[in-house]
Amino acid sequence: MLQRMTPKDYSEFWERESSQFASDNIYAHLRQIVPTEATLEVGCGAGWSTLSLATNRPVLAIDNNAHLIGLARSRLNTHGVNAEIIQSDLFEPSDDLLKAIEAFQPKVVVGWFIGSHPDDNDKRTPADLRIDQKPKVYRENVEDRLVALPLCPPSVEWVHTVQRGAAPPGVSEAQIKDEMAKEYEKYMLINSGFTVTDVQVLDWNQGATPFPYVQTARPDLPPGKPKPVIISILARRMSNV
C-alpha cells in the first residue's frame, strides 16, 4: 500500500535526486545561464543548487521545509560557502523574509525544479484536482510569484525557472523551445514586464534515481516513449508594470 510522503520523506528523496543533478553537472550548467548578480533562490532544496549559485555570487535562499534547510546549511558549511537561508512559506512570506529581500535587493530570481510534498500541493492547489495534476499546478502557482512582489522587487532584472519534462517522439528541440517560450509569455509572464530571452533543453538522466514522479496522461501527444528533458527558461525585465 502506498504511503503519503511526509516533508521529511520528500527531503530524503530530493537529496538523492538533486545529488544526481549535481553529479550530472546540471546545476553547474544552469548557473552559467543566469547573470552573476545578487540572486534570490526560491527553494534551496538540499543545498546543491544553492552551493552552485553561491560559488560566484551573493545568494539569499528561501525554503519552507526544515529538513531540506538542514541539509542545505550542512552542505554549504562542508564546502565553506556562504549563503543566507530563511525558512518561510513563500505564499505567506514572514516578516524576516520581507526584510531580508528588501535589504538584499536581488538582481536575479531563480526557481529551479519547483515542487513539494503532498501537504503543500494540497494546500496550494484546488481541492477538486486529481492527484496527478497537483504538482504541475503547484509549480505554476509558485512560478507566478517569481515575477511579482514581494519576491520580485523592482531591483530584479532577470528571472530563471527550470522544470522537468518529456519530449514527445518526433518533436524537435526547436519546437520545444518555441512552444515553451509561447507558453511562458502567455501565462507566467503576461503583464509582468518580463519577456523570455532564452530557452534551453537539457538531457535528463531520470532513471538514475527512484524519485516518484507523477506523469499526467496526455492523449494529445504523439504515441511512443517520450524522452526525459530539463527545460530552462530565462526572462528579462523589459519594463516595470
Side-chain angles (χ1 to χ4, degrees):
M1 180 178 178
L2 292 175
Q3 292 184 341
R4 186 178 177 88
M5 186 180 291
T6 67
K8 188 174 188 299
D9 294 334
Y10 182 84
S11 71
E12 292 170 352
F13 272 108
W14 189 243
E15 163 70 3
R16 292 193 288 273
E17 183 75 348
S18 58
S19 294
Q20 186 63 46
F21 286 154
S23 177
D24 291 339
N25 293 316
I26 296 298
Y27 292 124
H29 185 100
L30 296 177
R31 180 187 66 213
Q32 295 172 0
I33 295 173
V34 292
T36 310
E37 304 279 359
T39 298
L40 175 66
E41 182 187 26
V42 179
C44 68
W48 283 112
S49 56
T50 314
L51 176 64
S52 182
L53 287 165
T55 56
N56 66 350
R57 74 197 71 202
V59 174
L60 170 64
I62 313 164
D63 213 293
N64 70 343
N65 188 322
H67 305 287
L68 285 173
I69 290 174
L71 291 171
R73 286 176 173 161
S74 176
R75 179 152 285 121
L76 291 171
N77 183 61
T78 297
H79 288 82
V81 174
N82 294 319
E84 183 178 6
I85 303 176
I86 294 179
Q87 183 173 0
S88 176
D89 188 326
L90 66 90
F91 292 91
E92 300 174 26
S94 66
D95 289 341
D96 286 345
L97 175 58
L98 296 178
K99 291 176 182 176
I101 292 174
E102 183 178 1
F104 189 63
Q105 290 292 293
K107 294 290 187 181
V108 179
V109 174
V110 302
W112 294 351
F113 306 114
I114 294 166
S116 194
H117 52 84
D119 289 348
D120 273 351
N121 289 339
D122 286 345
K123 185 177 182 180
R124 302 303 179 183
T125 61
D128 59 351
L129 283 181
R130 299 194 314 266
I131 189 172
D132 64 320
Q133 297 173 319
K134 286 180 176 289
K136 177 177 182 292
V137 174
Y138 177 84
R139 171 178 57 79
E140 292 169 345
N141 287 342
V142 173
E143 286 179 335
D144 288 343
R145 285 158 176 79
L146 300 183
V147 291
L149 290 169
L151 300 183
C152 186
S155 61
V156 174
E157 299 176 7
W158 300 90
V159 173
H160 187 218
T161 187
V162 179
Q163 62 168 284
R164 293 144 287 187
V171 176
S172 70
E173 183 173 312
Q175 287 176 297
I176 294 173
K177 291 180 177 181
D178 184 60
E179 288 302 315
M180 293 305 297
K182 289 179 180 177
E183 179 178 330
Y184 274 80
E185 294 282 2
K186 182 178 180 180
Y187 295 105
M188 174 184 169
L189 302 179
I190 189 169
N191 298 325
S192 69
F194 287 84
T195 190
V196 173
T197 60
D198 179 74
V199 180
Q200 296 190 29
V201 180
L202 313 178
D203 289 336
W204 173 21
N205 188 15
Q206 183 181 359
T209 64
F211 198 89
Y213 289 101
V214 178
Q215 299 292 338
T216 303
R218 292 286 305 275
D220 56 313
L221 297 179
K225 186 176 181 180
K227 175 186 176 183
V229 293
I230 291 169
I231 304 172
S232 157
I233 300 97
L234 180 66
R236 184 174 188 178
R237 191 192 293 273
M238 307 305 291
S239 65
N240 284 293
V241 294

